Amino acid sequence: MSRAVPIGKPASQGKTLIMTRTFLPILLFVATFCFALGLVLPIAIFERLFFLTERPSLLEIIASLWGGSDYFLAIVIALFSVAFPAAKLIILHMASADGAQRHLVHRAGALSKWSMMDVLVVALAVFAAKTTGLASAAAQPGIWFYGMAALVSAGIAVFLKREDRLRQEDRPEQSSAGARD
């Protein structure tokens, strides 16, 4: 048995509305929660000489760079790892709460291009540590949570862009229908 779709509205809009009201808030919470965990949990474990072990979090790495007078590198990592992803999440929250703010998602596209940069950097650091033989390294939960936050927020952005496109396509039909009456 098929569901009745209101006249003049495609079935995809009904599915989009269900997604917006049910799953979008859950996905936004998951992305935000994973991002917070990705910042504070250890992102990698580095072992040297069998007894020296480090398990830094992303925020600890930034603080360590700042404390070691590597200000430029600390600022770059803080911008790309913390500020840009946080701004993207804020934009996604705003866009999902208020349909009129959906245009912000299109403008935030530049931020999303850098969301997975940290995952790549940690992967390269782990690879470098393993191949040099001087230390062993392994990924820790922080990097997995950070990567999950980046992927979920990218999915949310794609969904919101699609929903905005459907709304834009629906508007000309309404205005032309009103002109005919």
Side-chain angles (χ1 to χ4, degrees):
M1 179 176 253
S2 65
R3 292 166 112 178
V5 176
I7 297 174
K9 292 195 177 192
S12 63
Q13 282 186 338
K15 291 177 185 176
T16 302
L17 186 60
I18 291 170
M19 174 69 172
T20 303
R21 291 188 180 163
T22 54
F23 297 118
L24 192 59
I26 294 168
L27 289 175
L28 280 167
F29 173 77
V30 167
T32 305
F33 186 72
C34 286
F35 177 67
L37 288 177
L39 293 179
V40 298
L41 289 177
I43 59 171
I45 182 171
F46 299 98
E47 295 176 346
R48 294 177 300 218
L49 304 173
F50 299 109
F51 57 88
L52 295 174
T53 302
E54 293 181 60
R55 288 185 170 104
S57 71
L58 195 52
L59 293 179
E60 288 172 348
I61 290 172
I62 294 168
S64 175
L65 288 170
W66 190 267
S69 299
D70 291 321
Y71 303 118
F72 178 74
L73 192 53
I75 290 170
V76 168
I77 291 176
L79 279 174
F80 287 108
S81 306
V82 181
F84 288 168
K88 181 182 177 186
L89 280 171
I90 290 169
I91 288 170
L92 291 176
H93 279 277
M94 289 171 47
S96 68
D98 182 10
Q101 300 295 324
R102 297 283 163 96
H103 67 281
L104 294 174
V105 176
H106 295 284
R107 293 185 181 148
L111 298 175
S112 64
K113 290 178 178 40
W114 300 101
S115 294
M116 292 297 285
M117 185 178 82
D118 286 333
V119 176
L120 175 66
V121 169
V122 170
L124 289 173
V126 168
F127 175 75
K130 284 184 175 183
T131 57
T132 61
L134 299 174
S136 65
Q140 291 290 291
I143 198 66
W144 299 111
F145 279 110
Y146 190 90
M148 179 62 79
L151 291 174
V152 171
S153 64
I156 292 168
V158 167
F159 170 76
L160 289 174
K161 285 179 186 177
R162 179 178 174 265
E163 187 178 62
D164 189 45
R165 189 185 76 242
L166 287 173
R167 287 183 185 193
Q168 294 294 329
E169 290 172 0
D170 192 35
R171 283 185 188 155
E173 293 173 9
Q174 289 177 352
S175 62
S176 63
R180 285 182 276 175
D181 291 339

